[in-house]
Amino acid sequence: MDLLNKLVDQGLRRELPTREEALAVLATSDDDLLDVVAAAGKVRRHWFGRRVKLNYLVNLKSGLCPEDCSYCSQRLGSKADILKYTWLKPDEASRAAAAGLAGGAKRVCLVASGRGPTDRDVDRVSETIKAIKDQNEGVEVCACLGLLSDGQAERLRAAGADAYNHNLNTSEGTYGDITTTHTYADRVDTVHKAHAAGLSACSGLIAGMGESDADLVDVVFSLRELDPDSVPVNFLIPFEGTPLAKEWNLTPQRCLRILAMVRFVCPDVEVRIAGGREVHLRSMQPLALHLANSIFLGDYLTSEGQAGKADLDMIADAGFEVEDTDRVTLPEHRAPGGCASACGSAPAAQDAAPEARTDLVAVRRRGAGTDVAPNA
């Protein structure tokens, strides 16, 4: 396909596609899917080889959130039967992180539910960062604590945080349909605060919330403008007890097209397959490694992932390798002091909605906040 050849050439030169080209990727047919994956895979391998970066989530505080994000099992009013607990102590969080690091993770992502941290919360997380870094040489730590107030990003950076995650999640035009307790602009502001403090910005999206192809392209182009170093692509986990419990809109093929589109728009950025990959990609997860260069190992915030060993076996069987801790993830031009400059009509036809597979959503009952060994 002429389109795919053009997108590959642009990706290798860090030239960005047009909105129309990005939409065309999402509109490709299942017959052309392997061609799309192969084309985006050339861009992925050019910038990241066959390396896969492993990340490990530690949920510092589960549930009990005052925000009303419709996709979230921890939201205000959620009836989802998830684990609920208040802040883990630094030593508890460090032990949880150690399990993931032992499984091969290079980055620990410290996440807490809530609108945003208080100054006391920042102190608490700072202690946790120190505890993890004191015990694990070379580990990267990313904090994800919600909306930041002035000065908090700088304090996290001083405590040793390497990155800060705050996802845009969906397009600006549809954000108000998903969340009403804060705005899209609030999220953009927090990403700017992380950037300004010298933290590596991590910001991504959630697909599968009923959005159109145009919405997906809008949010990815907005992310490109924000210029994060990593873009997590989440696929909605339709938890029973949340407003989006019936949104089973994704097929494995659509997920792969979405990842390919993100790779073409953000050619030289760490694209991470995040929550929901097991639920929606299922047996086609190995193909996604040709598009993304980063995954989460083991469990997520409130849902269980596949066994950590299965992740490692999948990576090896697909011909990829786990990225070592002494290897810099990003291309040289995106490293600190480099010249990073790219995150790298009617709506297109949507795939037919598959049957709801509620049996695939497993509520996390192990790891942080429990006495059961974590999945790592």
Side-chain angles (χ1 to χ4, degrees):
M1 296 174 66
D2 290 341
L3 168 66
L4 295 178
N5 291 332
K6 181 181 180 183
L7 289 170
V8 171
D9 289 343
Q10 290 174 162
L12 300 186
R13 296 194 299 266
R14 294 168 53 222
E15 296 175 3
L16 303 172
T18 64
R19 283 181 49 84
E20 290 70 27
E21 289 167 343
L23 285 166
V25 172
L26 295 179
T28 52
S29 70
D30 286 351
D31 290 342
D32 295 322
L33 179 63
L34 290 181
D35 293 331
V36 173
V37 172
K42 290 179 182 178
V43 179
R44 179 252 200 265
R45 288 191 301 278
H46 177 80
W47 295 111
F48 299 98
R50 302 190 72 83
R51 294 175 283 122
V52 178
K53 181 176 180 176
L54 299 182
N55 309 267
Y56 190 68
L57 281 169
V58 177
N59 197 354
L60 298 177
K61 180 165 71 76
S62 184
L64 314 171
C65 185
E67 302 298 287
D68 70 352
C69 306
S70 298
Y71 51 82
C72 185
S73 60
Q74 304 182 77
R75 72 187 297 272
L76 179 68
S78 171
K79 300 296 191 294
D81 185 24
I82 62 169
L83 288 169
K84 297 181 178 68
Y85 53 85
T86 190
W87 288 94
L88 297 181
K89 294 181 173 62
D91 61 327
E92 294 173 325
S94 183
R95 285 197 300 272
L101 294 171
K106 178 176 180 176
R107 171 175 286 191
V108 173
C109 302
L110 301 175
V111 188
S113 62
R115 180 179 179 84
T118 65
D119 287 341
R120 174 68 187 98
D121 294 336
V122 173
D123 289 340
R124 193 191 324 261
V125 175
S126 296
E127 293 172 14
T128 299
I129 294 170
K130 184 178 186 304
I132 292 172
K133 290 212 159 190
D134 283 349
Q135 298 174 28
N136 301 279
E137 184 178 357
V139 66
E140 298 176 7
V141 176
C142 178
C144 177
L145 311 174
L147 302 173
L148 293 174
S149 300
D150 290 345
Q152 290 183 329
E154 287 79 4
R155 291 174 59 197
L156 290 168
R157 184 75 184 98
D162 300 283
Y164 195 83
N165 166 261
H166 201 61
N167 296 328
L168 296 187
N169 289 327
T170 192
S171 67
E172 183 175 12
T174 59
Y175 195 84
D177 298 330
I178 299 298
T179 304
T180 66
T181 48
H182 59 266
T183 67
Y184 181 89
D186 291 331
R187 287 187 170 267
V188 170
D189 179 66
T190 285
V191 178
H192 284 317
K193 283 183 168 68
H195 258 313
L199 292 165
S200 174
C202 173
S203 188
L205 64 140
I206 303 173
M209 298 190 290
E211 70 282 335
S212 67
D213 284 2
D215 290 322
L216 285 170
V217 170
D218 281 349
V219 69
V220 176
F221 271 62
S222 294
L223 288 166
R224 181 193 73 187
E225 291 175 7
L226 282 177
D227 195 31
D229 290 324
S230 55
V231 175
V233 180
N234 296 276
F235 301 109
L236 176 72
I237 301 178
F239 270 98
E240 292 293 327
T242 65
L244 299 184
K246 298 187 184 302
E247 293 287 345
W248 289 85
N249 302 308
L250 297 172
T251 63
Q253 294 84 356
R254 180 158 176 78
C255 292
L256 290 171
R257 282 193 282 272
I258 291 168
L259 288 168
M261 183 270 287
V262 174
R263 174 54 71 196
F264 286 131
V265 178
C266 305
D268 57 344
V269 164
E270 178 188 341
V271 175
R272 183 180 310 143
I273 319 173
R277 66 177 164 94
E278 299 90 344
V279 176
H280 296 292
L281 281 162
R282 300 190 287 279
S283 61
M284 295 180 76
Q285 289 182 71
L287 276 180
L289 296 177
H290 291 272
L291 308 169
N293 62 297
S294 181
I295 66 171
F296 279 109
L297 177 73
D299 296 331
Y300 302 99
L301 296 177
T302 61
S303 66
E304 295 188 352
Q306 67 185 20
K309 185 179 185 304
D311 286 337
L312 298 177
D313 289 344
M314 175 182 71
I315 290 168
D317 290 347
F320 293 87
E321 61 185 17
V322 174
E323 184 174 285
D324 293 333
T325 56
D326 59 354
R327 181 70 182 266
V328 176
T329 300
L330 296 172
E332 184 177 358
H333 65 269
R334 290 198 62 90
C339 56
S341 63
C343 158
S345 89
Q350 303 290 310
D351 295 299
E355 179 184 356
R357 288 293 307 277
T358 56
D359 59 302
L360 295 174
V361 180
V363 174
R364 181 172 68 84
R365 304 293 185 198
R366 59 193 175 197
T370 77
D371 296 325
V372 182
N375 174 22

